[in-house]
Amino acid sequence: MFLPFSEEPNPEPDARSSSYRPEDAVLSPQSLRLRLLRYEADVELVPSERCCILTTNFAGAGSHGLLFEVPGESGSIVPDSSRRIVRFESKANAGGVPDNFATYYIVQFREPWQSFKIHMVGKNRVGIIRFPSGQSSSLDARIATSFISFEQASRNLGLELGDRSPAELRAKAAEQWNAALGRIVIEGASDEQRRTFYSCLYRALLFPRIWHEPDEHGNPRHFSAFNGKVVDGVMYADHGYWDVYRAWYPFMSLVFPERLGEILQAWVNAYREGGWMPQFPAPGYRACMSGSLIDSLFADAIMKDIPGFDKEAAYEGLRKHATQQGNPSRGYGRQGIEHYLKLNYLPANLVNQSVAETADAAFGDFCIAQIATKLGKSEDAKFFQKRSENWRNLFDPQTRFFRGKNEDGSWLEPFDPFTWGSPYEEGAAWQHRWNVPHDVPGLIAALGGNAAAVAALDEMLASAPKFSVGVYGQEIHEMSEMAALPFGQYMHNNQPVHHVLYLYAAAGRPDRTQYWVRRVLNEAYSPAGFCGDEDTGSMAAWYILSALGFYPLCPGKPEYTIGGPLFPHATVRLGNSKAIVIDAPRNGSKTPYVGRLTVDDAEHRSSAIEHAALARGARLRFEMVEGFLAR
C-alpha cells in the first residue's frame, strides 16, 4: 500500500486515511487519477506490466512524503539515501506458495529524502519517507516488483520505466490497451452498451497474471510456486479453472489465440515443475472448487489446433490425475479418484460435493478422450469416452435431477431441489441439473425429449428464486445475488448455469435462447458492475461472446451454439490478420429474434457453427425479426 501525504501522517490505517470524490476521479486502463482531499494532493498512478510511476502534486510547499505498508513481519527493508532507493520484500501470503516465496520491491525517488522511519502496525511494517519542506511541491516514485529477486526488480525497473516520463508511459500503456481492446469493434450500440462491452473486454484481459520476467537476454524466466526454484520459461498465475473454462478460454481461442498458446504452455510448465497439473494456480497449487477443469482448457485448444504449447506433455499430465491418486487437499489430483475408479461415481457419504465432482470428472474424461483421439491414442480414447458416461450413475430418472448417491447405491435422502451445498457446489439440484455439456442429446433424452427439456428450462426460469441454505448454514452471497435477479432458479451470478440458456437451441427452440440471452445481457450487466463475481474474467467473457451472437455450449468441442447478436454490426479482428464480420442491420430492442442466418452468403441452418469456419475469417449476416415466444 502506497499513500502520498502532507504534514504529519499517523501510521495506523484508520487514522491516516483520506477521503476523495469518486465522481472527480479518473480511472482508465492507462491511468488512475484522484485527489486526496485531506492531503490536498493530486495523485496519478501509471502502470506498466510489473512496475508503475506514482506522481503527486501537493497544493502547498510544506512537508510531504510517501507512506508505504509492507504486509507481514518478515523480510528486509533497506533504504539507500545516496541512490534515492528503498528496497523491501514481503513474505506474507495466503497460501499456494513454497516456503521461500517473497515479493521484492524497489522504489526509486526523484528527490533525496529528509528522513526515513519504520513503524510496526499490528503485524505489518509501515515506512514513512519525508521530504524537505519547500524543496518541491511534487513527488515522483517509480515502483518496481519482482517475484524473483531485488536484482530482477531493478531490471524490470530499467526495462519498463527507465527515465520515461509519466506522459510517455501513459501513452505506451494506452497504445497497448487500445491494440487489445481494438480486437473487437462494435457499431450501433448505445452508450451504455458500448461502455459495458469494453468494460467487459478490459476486465477479461486482466487475467491471468503474467508471472514470468525477462532475464538479462530478454528471455522469460520465473520463480516457480510449484517447486520453489527460479526456472526458465513462461508462467501465469491466478486463474480459477472452474470459473473460466466455460467462456474465457474459448473466447481467447478465437480472439487472442497467440496469447492462449503461451498461457497453456505455462500450465504445462507447472506440471513439469510440480509433477501435477494445478487445479487452481494462485500462484501455485491451491485446493479450490471441484473437478479438474484444466482438462477442458487443453481439450478445447487442441481440438481447435491452437499452437504454442506441448500437447504430449499436457496429455501426460491430464491422464495422470484422471487415473492416479494425487493430493486434492493440496490442490492437485481429482477428489475421490479411488472411489470413482471403483464405483464410477463419487459416493455422497464419503466425498463432499459428490454430484458436482462426479459430473466434472465425467466431463473431464470426455475432454481427455477428445485429446486422445486427436493425438492418435485410440485405446485411451475408448477408455475415457466410456467413463464420460458416468454422469448417468447419479441422474435419477424418477425426479429427473442429479442426486447424491451413497456407497451402497442408495439415494441420499431427503431430496429437495432447492437445498444448496453438498452434494452440489455453490448451487442446488436446479443449477446442477444441466451439468452434462458433453452429452446434451443424452441429457435431453434423460429428461424425456426436446419438449420435456424445454419445459424444464421454462420451469427453471419461472420458479421463485428461493433457496435453502443447506450445509452452508447461512445465506452466502451467491444465494443473495440469485434472489436479486429476475430469472428464477437461473442464477447468472455464478458459472454453473452459464451454458443453460443455449440448451434451448439444442432442444429445437433457438427463439427462447435468443429471448433469454438478450434479457440477461441487458439486465444483468452494466458499466457499473455485474450481477455476481467477475471470477478472473469468466463473467465478462460470457457477455462478450453472447453479445457477438454465439457461445460454446461444450468447451472441448470445436464449435459454438448460435444465439443472437446484441449490436447491428461487429468486427472481430483475429490474430491471423483475418476478421469475423457480424452484420445484423435490423437489430434492435424489438427485434431480438434471428429469422435467417447466412455465413459467407450461404444459408446456415445448423444450431452451431464450427470454430474453424470463424477462425479463418467469416461474414455472418443475421436477419433480425420481431416475434413472440412460440407456445
Side-chain angles (χ1 to χ4, degrees), residues 481-508:
E481 291 156 358
M482 182 188 75
L485 287 168
F487 305 126
Q489 290 293 316
Y490 174 79
M491 58 164 192
H492 191 80
N493 55 288
N494 209 11
Q495 288 75 23
V497 302
H498 276 189
H499 68 297
V500 165
L501 299 181
Y502 291 88
L503 291 172
Y504 274 123

Side-chain angles (χ1 to χ4, degrees), residues 89-395:
E89 62 181 318
S90 173
K91 298 181 180 180
N93 65 82
V97 296
D99 292 340
N100 62 334
F101 166 83
T103 311
Y104 301 89
Y105 297 83
I106 290 180
V107 186
Q108 184 175 50
F109 296 96
R110 181 184 58 198
E111 307 286 349
W113 61 72
Q114 182 181 50
S115 64
F116 180 94
K117 293 182 179 180
I118 299 294
H119 304 263
M120 289 301 301
V121 178
K123 293 185 177 181
N124 293 347
R125 295 159 292 161
V126 174
I128 296 180
I129 304 172
R130 188 179 299 281
F131 294 85
S133 299
Q135 176 175 290
S136 173
S137 60
S138 65
L139 173 69
D140 184 306
R142 293 167 184 249
I143 303 166
T145 69
S146 172
F147 295 107
I148 295 176
S149 65
F150 286 122
E151 180 185 15
Q152 181 66 51
S154 180
R155 179 177 295 119
N156 296 342
L157 182 72
L159 289 173
E160 297 187 13
L161 302 184
D163 58 359
R164 295 184 182 91
S165 68
E168 289 174 309
L169 191 66
R170 189 187 311 115
K172 182 178 179 181
E175 180 183 6
Q176 289 176 309
W177 271 108
N178 275 324
L181 298 175
R183 284 285 180 103
I184 305 178
V185 178
I186 61 173
E187 299 176 40
S190 68
D191 180 65
E192 179 166 319
Q193 288 174 331
R194 182 183 58 81
R195 290 167 58 211
T196 301
F197 185 88
Y198 286 107
S199 292
C200 283
L201 187 51
Y202 166 73
R203 289 172 173 180
L205 297 180
L206 292 176
F207 304 96
R209 178 200 296 268
I210 298 172
W211 193 261
H212 51 269
E213 307 175 52
D215 66 11
E216 64 271 24
H217 305 295
N219 299 316
R221 63 173 184 165
H222 61 274
F223 171 80
S224 173
F226 302 96
N227 65 18
K229 301 176 182 178
V230 176
V231 295
D232 293 335
V234 297
M235 183 54 65
Y236 285 78
D238 303 344
H239 228 200
Y241 302 143
W242 187 88
D243 302 304
V244 294
Y245 84 85
R246 297 169 173 87
W248 192 91
Y249 278 86
F251 152 73
M252 289 291 288
S253 74
L254 196 60
V255 187
F256 294 92
E258 70 283 5
R259 175 57 67 90
L260 176 58
E262 182 177 275
I263 292 170
L264 293 173
Q265 183 57 43
W267 310 144
V268 172
N269 290 342
Y271 165 63
R272 288 172 169 164
E273 293 160 20
W276 292 85
M277 286 290 189
Q279 185 192 54
F280 197 123
Y285 291 120
R286 294 290 288 271
C288 189
M289 312 311 289
S290 62
S292 57
L293 280 316
I294 195 171
D295 302 329
S296 169
L297 278 50
F298 283 104
D300 198 57
I302 288 172
M303 296 306 291
K304 293 174 178 175
D305 296 315
I306 302 296
F309 62 97
D310 189 331
K311 297 175 178 60
E312 288 288 346
Y315 180 77
E316 178 184 289
L318 302 180
R319 193 184 191 284
K320 181 177 181 178
H321 67 225
T323 57
Q324 298 180 36
Q325 190 167 353
N327 192 339
S329 65
R330 296 290 300 274
Y332 55 86
R334 286 189 184 177
Q335 187 79 350
I337 185 67
E338 68 278 16
H339 304 300
Y340 186 75
L341 294 174
K342 177 182 177 182
L343 301 172
N344 293 317
Y345 67 91
L346 280 301
N349 60 315
L350 298 177
V351 178
N352 287 330
Q353 303 169 342
S354 59
V355 167
E357 293 283 3
T358 299
D360 287 344
F363 174 57
D365 289 341
F366 164 81
C367 291
I368 296 173
Q370 294 287 93
I371 301 172
T373 299
K374 188 83 169 180
L375 298 182
K377 305 176 189 297
S378 57
E379 290 304 311
D380 276 7
K382 293 177 185 177
F383 172 76
F384 286 109
Q385 186 64 38
K386 178 63 177 175
R387 283 201 344 190
S388 74
E389 299 177 10
N390 284 345
W391 65 270
R392 298 179 181 275
N393 296 321
L394 293 188
F395 188 86

Side-chain angles (χ1 to χ4, degrees), residues 10-164:
N10 188 315
E12 295 286 342
D14 289 342
R16 73 194 181 212
S17 62
S18 170
S19 58
Y20 73 99
R21 295 190 182 95
E23 63 273 18
D24 294 335
V26 178
L27 172 63
S28 67
Q30 69 271 19
S31 171
L32 165 66
R33 288 181 292 160
L34 53 81
R35 181 175 179 82
L36 298 178
L37 299 176
R38 170 181 176 179
Y39 299 118
E40 297 185 283
D42 293 309
V43 184
E44 181 180 24
L45 186 147
V46 182
S48 65
E49 284 186 349
R50 303 166 186 86
C51 310
C52 72
I53 298 178
L54 180 65
T55 58
T56 309
N57 291 308
F58 297 93
S63 173
H64 65 269
L66 183 70
L67 179 152
F68 63 92
E69 182 172 2
V70 187
E73 300 173 277
S74 61
S76 61
I77 299 179
V78 180
D80 184 342
S81 58
S82 63
R83 298 171 60 200
R84 303 190 297 278
I85 284 177
V86 176
R87 305 189 317 175
F88 61 88
E89 62 181 318
S90 173
K91 298 181 180 180
N93 65 82
V97 296
D99 292 340
N100 62 334
F101 166 83
T103 311
Y104 301 89
Y105 297 83
I106 290 180
V107 186
Q108 184 175 50
F109 296 96
R110 181 184 58 198
E111 307 286 349
W113 61 72
Q114 182 181 50
S115 64
F116 180 94
K117 293 182 179 180
I118 299 294
H119 304 263
M120 289 301 301
V121 178
K123 293 185 177 181
N124 293 347
R125 295 159 292 161
V126 174
I128 296 180
I129 304 172
R130 188 179 299 281
F131 294 85
S133 299
Q135 176 175 290
S136 173
S137 60
S138 65
L139 173 69
D140 184 306
R142 293 167 184 249
I143 303 166
T145 69
S146 172
F147 295 107
I148 295 176
S149 65
F150 286 122
E151 180 185 15
Q152 181 66 51
S154 180
R155 179 177 295 119
N156 296 342
L157 182 72
L159 289 173
E160 297 187 13
L161 302 184
D163 58 359
R164 295 184 182 91

